[in-house]
Each structure stands twice: as structure tokens, then as C-alpha cells.
């Protein structure tokens, strides 16, 4: 069905940061399939793990023990500080699990209509509950009636959350992206997450972070919340976890980790041996090649490079980001830059109408970063000079 307006290109093959189309033209992929292919394309370690596992065992269902799923859960808990994991197949499903956990948590405290505080400009997915949580009318329009039980506040506004805490509400949780991705690479103030943590502690609310875009090394830490010293109660991940193999996960600790019980939630495919093996290979590669540190260093290089080349350009209103999640905001809509970049052999994205979004793979080298800086800077300055 025509859910996407697709660009006029088809890719046939990839290697690292590079893609080749059906005519043999080469492209630098500074978007990574929207933060998915963090190890680049056709990663040998992931390819080998998939091929081996496909020959051994792909699926048995969650009616039986799955060693690889348990190993992956242990690894994710170790890097995140969480205690238990529910596996699924996408980001939206990971957030659905978080929403269901919050509701069970609320009912456990005798709140019959538990509500989750969510943000303006947020993005949490396309299922009914996650599109309701999403703070973008375009995502919701036409799908009414929406799901009940969400309270919306502006992003990066602790006072707005405190106000809900002081008025009588049925709030039981806060669901927030540490950096808004689809909303325009919106980086909150430094104390924002810590502020949410302390309000949640005071109120007995669950702090739930959607790290589907920010997680698994993208911002220069395994998780974006690790830039501050705090632990959320629930963390959702997906995108980069399988480097393109569909897998999502909802991680939790404390009482949030005990809400789901046999019979209360489930999935046919989630955490099967094939996707778990792929995700283990992804974590192995990120660790052995020190890619989290690389994301931090290359991210810094890109930010500085763009600030040098573009901060004095009229029409560029902001250059921001964290690690390899970078936004260049213009004073005008710039969606057509995507097509122009494509014509020059570069894959980028524009989100929130006027923000050029770059999500290059964690394997980006400093030489490739220089190419990105030059190509994107030229593109943006030529566009703004017209
Ligand atoms: C992509 C994304 C989702 C949705 O993930 P799907 O796999 O497309 O369902 C949810 N939250 C955030 C922050 C995302 O970036």
C-alpha cells in the first residue's frame, strides 16, 4: 500500500557506509536506514552470525527456553543497568510493552484509569497506543478514536510535569525520548532527565525512556541517559539493535520489571534465535571495535566541522546533536534537500520540515566524516543562497 512517497532509487548492495544502486552508482549513507544500520551495511560479523544461525535454528516460539534470547537479555541488562527484558520485533512494539507495563503498574496501585505523561513533538510509533503517545497531529489524523490515558506536556519543560504532580491526576509514568529524533533532533537542557527522575521518585511514577533512536551507542554512550547519572525504570530499544534484522526490546528494573507475568503479554516472533543471534553479533562488534567511543569522537568532529562551515551562514538557525545524531536547523522548509543530496550521491533526511538530520553509522571514519561535512555544507549553503 502506498504508505511512503519513495525516492527514485533502488539499492542493490552495500558495504560499510556505502550503498550502490541498480545502475551501479555509489552513495554515502549518512542516515543508516534511519539509525538502524549502525555497523554499516553487510557487516561481516552479523552476516556470518545470521548465516550460521539460519542453518542451525531460526524459530521455536516462546513456549520453550531460548539460550540466545537469555544471553542477549543478560548483555542488555549489563550495559543498561536494567534487570529484565521483553523482546519484540519493532520500536512501536517495545513502546506498547512499556505502555502496558505502566498500566499494570497503575492498576497495582489501585488507579483505575492510569495515565502516562508524554511530550509535544514526540514520536513513539504507528500502532494505536504509540501514535496516541506521539505528539504530532499528522501521525494521528484520521485514526480517531485515539487511546485514552495520555497527558501531553511541552518537551524540555520540567515545570509542566511538576504542575501535573501537584494537581490531582491519574498519572503513573512519564514516557520521553532523551533526545527527540523525528521531532527535529531536540536536545533538552542538561538537568531535564535528572529532573524527571526526581519528580518520578517523589510521585512513585515510572520513568520510561524511549531510546529506540538514541540507544545502542548512537549518542556516544550505550544509552543517552548515561550522559547523566541516573537510571530510568523502563527503557525501550529497537532500530540499531539488530543492524537491520527486526528486533525490539523493552528493558525494565525494580517493580516495573515484575509487572508482566505469564499470560499478560506475549509475542510469536519476539526474541527468536535468529534475531537474538544478530543482536548479539551487533553488541560484540560495537564492543570489540570500540564503536561507542567512535560515535562520540566522530560526532564531535561533525558538530565542530558544521559549526565551522555553517554557523555564519544566513539561514542556518542552529547546529545541534549528541554523538552521531545531528540536526542542522534552517529558517525555512528544506525537504527538497533530500533529493538534491541523493543526486550528489549522499543519503540524508529532513525532519520537522526544516531540520537536516544526519544519523551516520557508528563505523564512520574521520575521512568519511570530512566528506559528509563538505557535501552537506555545500548543499545547505547553495540552497540558502538561492
Ligand atoms: C523509530 C522510532 C520508533 C518506532 O519504531 P518502529 O520500529 O518504526 O516501530 C519509536 N520511537 C522512536 C524514538 C523512534 O525513533
Amino acid at each position: 500500500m502506498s504508505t511512503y512517497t519513495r525516492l527514485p532509487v533502488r539499492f542493490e548492495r552495500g558495504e560499510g557506509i556505502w550503498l550502490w544502486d541498480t545502475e551501479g552508482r555509489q552513495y554515502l549513507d549518512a542516515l543508516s536506514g534511519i539509525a538502524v544500520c549502525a555497523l554499516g551495511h553487510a557487516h561481516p560479523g552479523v552476516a556470518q552470525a545470521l548465516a550460521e544461525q539460519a542453518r542451525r535454528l531460526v524459530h521455536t516460539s516462546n513456549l520453550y527456553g531460548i539460550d540466545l534470547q537469555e544471553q542477549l537479555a543478560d548483555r542488555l541488562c549489563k550495559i543498561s543497568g536494567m534487570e529484565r527484558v521483553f523482546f519484540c520485533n519493532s520500536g512501536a512494539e517495545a513502546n506498547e510493552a512499556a505502555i502496558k507495563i505502566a498500566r499494570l503498574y497503575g492498576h497495582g496501585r489501585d488507579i483505575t484509569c492510569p495515565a502516562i505523561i508524554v511530550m509535544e513533538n514526540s514520536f513513539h510509533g504507528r500502532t494505536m497506543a504509540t501514535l496516541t503517545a506521539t505528539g504530532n497531529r499528522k501521525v494521528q489524523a484520521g485514526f480517531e478514536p485515539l487511546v485514552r490515558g495520555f497527558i501531553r506536556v511541552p518537551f524540555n519543560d520540567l515545570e509542566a510535569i511538576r504542575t501535573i504532580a501537584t494537581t490531582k491526576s491519574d498519572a503513573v509514568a512519564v514516557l520521553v525520548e532523551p533526545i527527540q529524533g523525528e521531532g527535529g533532533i531536540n536536545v533538552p537542557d542538561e538537568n531535564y532527565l535528572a529532573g524527571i527522575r526526581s519528580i518520578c521518585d517523589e510521585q512513585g511514577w515510572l520513568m520510561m525512556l524511549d531510546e529506540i533512536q538514541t540507544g545502542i551507542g548512537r549518542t556516544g554512550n550505550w544509552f543517552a541517559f548515561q550522559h547523566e547519572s541516573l537510571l530510568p525504570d523502563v527503557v525501550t530499544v529497537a532500530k540499531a539493535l539488530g543492524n537491520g534484522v527486526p528486533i525490539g526490546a523493552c528493558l525494565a528494573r525494580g517493580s516495573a520489571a515484575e509487572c508482566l507475568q505469564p499470560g499478560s503479554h506475549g509475542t510469536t516472533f519476539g526474541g527468536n534465535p535468529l534475531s537474538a543471534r544478530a543482536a548479539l553479533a551487533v553488541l560484540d562488534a560495537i564492543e570489540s571495535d570500540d564503536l561507542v567511543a567512535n560515535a562520540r569522537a566522530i560526532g564531535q568532529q561533525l558538530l565542530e566541522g558544521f559549526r565551522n562551515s555553517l554557523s555564519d551562514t544566513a539561514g542556518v538557525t542552529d547546529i545541534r546533536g549528541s554523538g552521531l545524531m545531528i540536526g542542522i536547523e534552517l529558517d525555512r522548509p528544506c525537504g527538497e534537500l533530500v533529493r538534491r543530496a541523493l543526486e550528489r550521491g549522499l543519503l540524508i533526511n529532513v525532519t520537522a520540515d526544516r531540520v537536516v538530520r544526519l544519523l551516520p553509522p557508528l563505523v564512520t571514519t574521520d575521512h568519511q566524516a570530512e566528506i559528509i561535512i563538505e557535501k552537506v555544507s555545500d548543499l545547505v549553503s547553495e540552497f540558502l543562497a538561492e
Side-chain angles (χ1 to χ4, degrees), residues 19 28 75 77 79 98 102-103 111 113 119-120 140 151 188 195 202 223 246 285-287 319 352 370 373 378-379:
L19 282 168
L28 191 152
R75 292 279 290 277
C77 288
I79 60 175
R103 288 195 167 184
I111 296 169
C113 222
M119 308 302 150
E120 289 172 5
Q140 299 172 339
I151 303 169
E202 282 161 32
F223 298 93
I286 293 177
E287 270 170 19
I319 300 167
E370 288 308 316
I373 293 165
D378 286 353
L379 204 68

Side-chain angles (χ1 to χ4, degrees), residues 1-282:
M1 298 188 190
S2 66
T3 46
Y4 285 85
T5 313
R6 293 171 195 270
L7 287 155
V9 65
R10 282 149 207 276
F11 298 110
E12 205 167 58
R13 158 176 94 81
E15 192 184 317
I17 202 170
W18 304 104
L19 282 168
W20 284 267
D21 72 9
T22 44
E23 329 271 64
R25 276 197 73 201
Q26 187 178 352
Y27 300 79
L28 191 152
D29 184 1
L31 187 61
S32 311
I34 321 182
V36 168
C37 299
L39 302 178
H41 300 283
H43 186 271
V46 178
Q48 192 186 340
L50 279 172
E52 267 176 32
Q53 195 56 44
R55 286 198 196 91
R56 187 176 303 165
L57 188 67
V58 171
H59 178 90
T60 55
S61 94
N62 282 303
L63 299 175
Y64 312 101
I66 303 174
D67 272 349
L68 290 164
Q69 183 184 123
E70 290 169 17
Q71 284 172 35
L72 179 60
D74 285 344
R75 292 279 290 277
L76 288 172
C77 288
K78 207 188 239 167
I79 60 175
S80 66
M82 298 294 113
E83 292 161 3
R84 306 195 75 155
V85 184
F86 170 78
F87 287 104
C88 50
N89 315 288
S90 66
E93 279 175 275
N95 284 336
E96 284 280 343
I99 292 163
K100 289 179 78 171
I101 286 172
R103 288 195 167 184
L104 286 174
Y105 176 81
H107 289 296
R109 304 168 82 209
D110 289 329
I111 296 169
T112 46
C113 222
I116 300 171
I117 297 172
V118 291
M119 308 302 150
E120 289 172 5
N121 293 315
S122 61
F123 183 79
H124 297 297
R126 299 285 197 158
T127 61
M128 284 309 305
T130 58
L131 75 82
T132 304
T134 292
N136 179 345
R137 270 305 295 163
K138 278 192 206 154
V139 172
Q140 299 172 339
F143 298 110
E144 297 81 2
L146 301 181
V147 176
R148 292 163 64 197
F150 293 94
I151 303 169
R152 194 167 310 283
V153 298
F155 183 63
N156 197 20
D157 184 345
L158 285 174
E159 273 319 302
I161 302 177
R162 267 198 208 101
T163 302
I164 293 166
T166 53
T167 51
K168 206 182 134 27
S169 81
D170 286 331
V172 296
V174 177
L175 173 64
V176 59
E177 296 155 87
I179 297 171
Q180 290 186 329
E182 306 304 304
I185 314 288
N186 301 321
V187 184
D189 297 339
E190 225 168 78
N191 62 353
Y192 182 59
L193 293 184
I196 292 177
R197 179 68 276 175
S198 60
I199 297 169
C200 286
D201 286 341
E202 282 161 32
Q203 300 297 318
W205 295 346
L206 297 181
M207 177 179 185
M208 310 201 297
L209 293 184
D210 178 343
E211 292 242 21
I212 290 161
Q213 195 159 146
T214 53
I216 316 295
R218 167 107 350 234
T219 70
N221 264 325
W222 276 113
F223 298 93
F225 73 79
Q226 291 164 339
H227 293 289
E228 297 180 41
S229 51
L230 58 88
L231 273 183
D233 302 294
V234 175
V235 181
T236 54
V237 293
K239 291 198 163 91
L241 183 56
N243 210 53
V245 175
I247 181 168
C250 177
L251 289 57
R253 71 180 178 98
S255 51
E258 308 302 327
C259 291
L260 296 178
Q261 289 298 324
S264 58
H265 197 37
T267 166
T268 298
F269 294 128
N272 77 25
L274 189 74
S275 62
R277 178 78 185 266
L280 283 164
V282 168

